């Protein structure tokens, strides 16, 4: 019962919901950046939503099945093929012993999530298998290494079901803008900068990884340049002295000292996780109350669908 | 004391207790952390203390903003500083030596204290853990004697060996893992600060107190230290 990795690509890592309760020790959150696609990939096989999946970044990734099994794919379309036959994300599928699953290159999105029956096996380090290379934590051997050629992936159980993605599961593209809960040091930015922040096009920079994504656009000015470091939440939009925002993601450092506009909503984090460098997007302020209501509705509808 | 409560994200509040870094903050920070943990219970996802603030992340499925603020107010109502005895103290052996601390010599000259003077000043103060961050088990300790204060290196090193002891401004820290870093290195400790094999193990936590104990090379090696001389990584 295993899958042999033949090509590891730019970055492929085991991820789950990440670590909680350990950030006061300097340990980051980690976990699937597009947490929605990760959860849906599990749902397609009837797994617990937080079971470990493989997060495949950009492609150039391939594996060979050493046994017959079912797998599921969700998230980015990385041009996947099963023995040469195109395989669209959003479905569970059978793979037979000897067959090869190849992810070539991104057609839409950045990160694909591959799930296996019961979730992939990996040791829990501080309660999670989330791979964080910088911290030497998580992954197949617990030491933070990404998946490499020759690695064997095992899984924990049997698929209880094989599903296709329901219509309402599709995450809308961030055309309307990424929702931002205002807060933190918002009051310290100049009026012009606040106008620019929410009325300008922002371009996703090449410098984008699991720690953060840099945006290029108008220069934002803040009355304070540095502050005493404090804990920073997921999706925080920090603005260093060059005035170009950096949106902090799952592998961010636990504390930071740059002024912030606020933080993306969880849905917006999942959307940003699928934006290629060069993508043009907007930031859209959302009232906290409404953001909380919408997030609860999203989780509740997910709960309903996933427990049917 | 009236802490400010600020929204910083959809499920996160920052409790701003102080405006300045001060060793006297810590008993208050410790007490506030404990009270917040108790008040939120299972609705707390994460709590990140740092110098003057607490970041509180709560479970949106259980609480909304209003309820979370209510819990915070409850937690901080009538807050008293934690007794000094409740903070743990660690004695951390350090081999202060130019072979593993490339900035030790220069700091001795710049401060006018000489190497022996630097070691003496650095190892007599009882430091406080203000925060952990940058890497698992990396503790920001302060405050370092003003004469030892040193700005970060203009160009951070790509690789700093595990156990290296450094100074940046008026803070001091040990690198738990091999990592990039820009602090001024003055020695190396054989102590394991963070162990991923032990669930949840970190030698120290915010609020703990730390004293450095100078040791000789032989003792450093006996304690399991790696005495490989520091070498600038080639580009």
């Amino acid at each position: 019962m295993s899958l042999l990795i033949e090509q590891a690509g730019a970055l492929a890592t085991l991820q789950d919901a990440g670590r909680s309760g350990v950030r006061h020790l300097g340990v980051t959150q980690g976990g699937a950046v597009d947490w929605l696609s990760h959860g849906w990939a599990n749902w397609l096989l009837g797994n617990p939503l937080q079971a470990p999946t493989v997060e495949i970044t950009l492609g150039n990734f391939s594996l060979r099945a050493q046994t017959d099994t079912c797998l599921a794919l969700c998230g980015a379309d990385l041009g996947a093929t099963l023995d040469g036959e195109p395989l669209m994300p959003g479905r569970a599928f059978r793979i037979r012993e000897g067959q090869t699953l190849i992810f070539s290159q991104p057609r839409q999105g950045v990160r694909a999530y591959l799930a296996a029956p019961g979730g992939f096996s990996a040791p829990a380090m501080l309660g999670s298998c989330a791979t964080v290379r910088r911290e030497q934590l998580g992954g197949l051997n617990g030491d933070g290494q990404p998946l490499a050629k020759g690695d064997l992936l095992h899984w924990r159980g049997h698929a209880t079901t094989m599903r296709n993605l329901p219509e309402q599961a599709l995450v809308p593209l961030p055309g309307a803008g990424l929702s931002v809960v205002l807060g933190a040091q918002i009051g310290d930015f100049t009026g012009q900068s606040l106008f620019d922040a929410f009325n300008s096009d922002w371009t996703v920079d090449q410098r984008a990884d699991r720690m953060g994504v840099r945006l290029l656009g108008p220069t934002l000015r803040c009355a304070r340049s540095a502050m005493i470091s404090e804990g920073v939440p997921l999706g925080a939009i920090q603005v260093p002295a060059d005035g170009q925002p950096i949106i902090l993601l799952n592998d961010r450092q636990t504390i930071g000292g740059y002024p912030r506009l606020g933080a993306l909503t969880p849905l917006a984090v999942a959307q940003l996780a699928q934006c290629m460098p060069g993508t043009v997007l907007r930031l859209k302020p959302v009232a906290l109350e409404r953001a909380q209501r919408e997030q609860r509705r999203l989780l509740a509808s997910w709960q309903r669908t996933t427990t049917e | 004391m009236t802490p400010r409560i600020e929204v910083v994200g959809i499920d996160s509040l920052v409790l701003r207790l102080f405006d300045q870094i001060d060793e006297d903050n810590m008993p208050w920070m410790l007490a506030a952390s404990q009270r917040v943990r108790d008040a939120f219970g299972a609705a707390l996802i994460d709590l990140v203390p740092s110098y003057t603030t607490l970041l509180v992340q709560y479970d949106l499925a259980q609480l909304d903003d209003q309820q979370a603020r209510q819990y915070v107010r409850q937690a901080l109502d009538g807050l008293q500083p934690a007794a000094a005895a409740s903070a743990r103290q660690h004695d951390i052996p350090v081999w202060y030596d130019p072979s593993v601390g490339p900035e030790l010599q220069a700091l001795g000259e710049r401060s006018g204290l000489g190497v022996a003077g630097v070691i003496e000043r650095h190892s007599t103060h009882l430091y406080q853990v203000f925060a952990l961050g940058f890497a698992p088990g990396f503790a920001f300790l302060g405050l370092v004697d003003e004469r030892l204060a040193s700005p970060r290196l203009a160009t951070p090193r790509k690789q700093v060996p595990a156990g290296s002891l450094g100074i940046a401004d008026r803070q001091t820290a040990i690198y738990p893992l091999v990592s990039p870093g820009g602090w001024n290195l003055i020695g190396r400790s054989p102590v394991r600060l963070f162990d991923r094999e032990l669930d949840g193990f970190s030698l120290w936590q915010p609020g703990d107190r730390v004293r450095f104990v100078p040791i000789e090379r032989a003792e450093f090696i006996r304690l399991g230290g790696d005495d490989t001389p520091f070498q600038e990584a080639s580009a």
Side-chain angles (χ1 to χ4, degrees):
Chain A
M1 291 225 309
S2 62
L3 301 170
L4 172 67
I5 294 178
E6 298 195 319
Q7 219 187 341
L11 181 68
T13 54
L14 283 165
Q15 298 293 345
D16 55 17
R19 302 186 170 82
S20 59
V22 288
R23 266 148 64 195
H24 65 292
L25 303 179
V27 178
T28 194
Q29 170 178 1
V33 195
D34 178 354
W35 56 278
L36 269 172
S37 296
H38 160 84
W40 282 120
N42 278 316
W43 178 81
L44 294 171
L45 292 177
N47 292 345
L49 297 184
Q50 311 301 4
T53 64
V54 176
E55 181 180 275
I56 301 159
T57 314
L58 297 172
N60 283 321
F61 179 89
S62 65
L63 53 77
R64 184 184 294 272
Q66 315 275 72
T67 180
D68 294 359
T69 188
C70 326
L71 299 173
L73 185 60
C74 208
D77 179 355
L78 301 181
T81 53
L82 181 59
D83 267 4
E85 288 296 313
L87 193 67
M88 288 304 287
R91 49 173 294 211
F93 59 94
R94 291 181 196 286
I95 183 168
R96 287 191 312 279
E97 182 182 349
Q99 281 192 307
T100 304
L101 177 61
I102 296 177
F103 296 82
S104 55
Q105 54 185 345
R107 294 163 174 232
Q108 185 173 22
V110 175
R111 295 175 169 96
Y113 291 86
L114 184 69
F120 286 106
S121 300
M125 313 300 292
L126 302 173
S128 158
C129 78
T131 310
V132 183
R133 181 156 39 176
R134 174 171 53 84
E135 296 187 341
Q136 301 169 28
L137 268 180
L140 209 50
N141 304 308
D143 59 0
Q145 285 304 305
L147 294 172
K149 183 180 173 173
D151 281 347
L152 283 173
L153 294 170
H154 300 270
W155 49 93
R156 294 167 172 173
H158 302 278
T160 55
T161 181
M162 283 180 74
R163 295 163 165 150
N164 288 325
L165 205 59
E167 196 80 14
Q168 78 270 23
L170 296 173
V171 177
L173 292 172
L178 296 175
S179 294
V180 178
V181 172
L182 303 183
Q185 290 72 44
I186 186 91
D188 293 328
F189 286 86
T190 64
Q192 181 66 48
S193 288
L194 287 183
F195 181 85
D196 288 346
F198 300 106
N199 292 282
S200 309
D201 286 341
W202 293 100
T203 305
V204 175
D205 189 38
Q206 295 285 346
R207 289 164 293 178
D209 58 21
R210 290 184 40 89
M211 282 182 81
V213 172
R214 208 175 264 266
L215 301 181
L216 302 177
T219 303
L220 303 182
R221 299 272 173 230
C222 182
R224 58 169 103 192
S225 56
M227 10 177 268
I228 298 170
S229 285
E230 61 186 44
V232 281
L234 178 66
I237 307 175
Q238 67 173 26
V239 182
D242 68 1
Q244 300 292 278
I246 301 171
I247 300 181
L248 301 177
L249 299 180
N250 298 56
D251 288 1
R252 68 196 179 280
Q253 293 186 1
T254 53
I255 59 175
Y258 291 116
R260 284 166 279 137
L261 290 167
L264 295 191
T265 61
L267 177 61
V269 167
Q271 291 171 322
L272 179 64
Q274 298 294 3
C275 289
M276 285 287 279
T279 303
V280 175
L281 52 82
R282 292 223 167 183
L283 301 174
K284 181 182 70 177
V286 56
L288 176 64
E289 225 176 288
R290 186 174 148 201
Q292 291 199 333
R293 213 167 44 233
E294 286 177 355
Q295 178 66 10
R296 285 177 155 185
R297 196 181 302 145
L298 178 69
L299 293 177
S301 78
W302 203 14
Q303 216 69 39
R304 263 199 310 282
T305 313
T306 54
T307 50
E308 265 164 13
Chain B
M1 191 187 54
T2 40
R4 275 164 291 155
I5 306 172
E6 298 172 8
V7 171
V8 296
I10 193 170
D11 56 0
S12 300
L13 297 169
V14 157
L15 282 47
R16 203 170 295 286
L17 282 88
F18 299 97
D19 290 317
Q20 300 291 328
I21 295 177
D22 195 314
E23 295 184 351
D24 294 338
N25 296 351
M26 296 317 293
W28 293 94
M29 298 290 296
L30 266 180
S33 292
Q34 193 50 56
R35 294 278 293 269
V36 167
R37 281 186 194 285
D38 294 345
F40 279 76
L44 186 72
I45 291 182
D46 235 316
L47 176 68
V48 191
S50 179
Y51 303 98
T52 56
T53 53
L54 298 178
L55 172 73
V56 178
Q57 186 193 0
Y58 55 91
D59 184 359
L60 264 186
Q62 299 184 51
L63 302 179
D64 65 14
D65 178 57
Q66 289 307 316
Q67 293 161 311
R69 284 167 184 273
Q70 185 60 36
Y71 278 4
V72 168
R73 280 191 293 267
Q74 253 174 44
L76 299 181
D77 186 41
L79 187 70
Q80 290 297 317
S86 69
R88 292 181 304 165
Q89 188 179 322
H90 310 274
D91 288 334
I92 304 293
V94 171
W95 178 36
Y96 293 93
D97 191 85
S99 69
V100 291
E103 273 76 54
L104 181 60
Q105 202 83 44
L107 180 56
E109 286 160 23
R110 198 173 62 235
S111 62
L113 297 166
V115 167
V118 169
I119 296 172
E120 208 260 325
R121 292 230 176 187
H122 190 267
S123 61
T124 44
H125 188 69
L126 185 60
Y127 298 98
Q128 305 216 13
V129 178
F130 285 121
L132 271 75
F134 176 67
F138 187 101
F140 292 85
L141 305 168
L143 289 167
V144 170
D145 188 296
E146 280 185 37
R147 290 179 72 178
L148 303 183
S150 316
R152 286 173 174 79
L153 306 181
T155 309
R157 295 183 164 106
K158 285 192 181 130
Q159 214 176 30
V160 173
S164 294
L165 170 69
I167 293 178
D169 303 320
R170 290 194 64 194
Q171 305 199 70
T172 187
I174 297 176
Y175 288 85
L177 306 169
V178 178
S179 65
W183 292 35
N184 301 270
L185 307 183
I186 60 170
R188 200 179 286 175
S189 173
V191 174
R192 247 179 137 177
L193 304 177
F194 185 85
D195 193 332
R196 64 167 183 254
E197 303 296 336
L198 298 174
D199 210 27
F201 175 79
S202 161
L203 180 74
W204 40 38
Q205 302 214 4
D208 287 2
R209 289 153 186 270
V210 179
R211 197 189 300 278
F212 295 109
V213 181
I215 54 171
E216 296 300 321
R217 179 163 173 269
E219 177 70 356
F220 175 78
I221 290 168
R222 195 187 66 77
L223 292 172
D226 176 358
D227 69 340
T228 309
F230 177 84
Q231 264 193 314
E232 297 290 352
S234 48

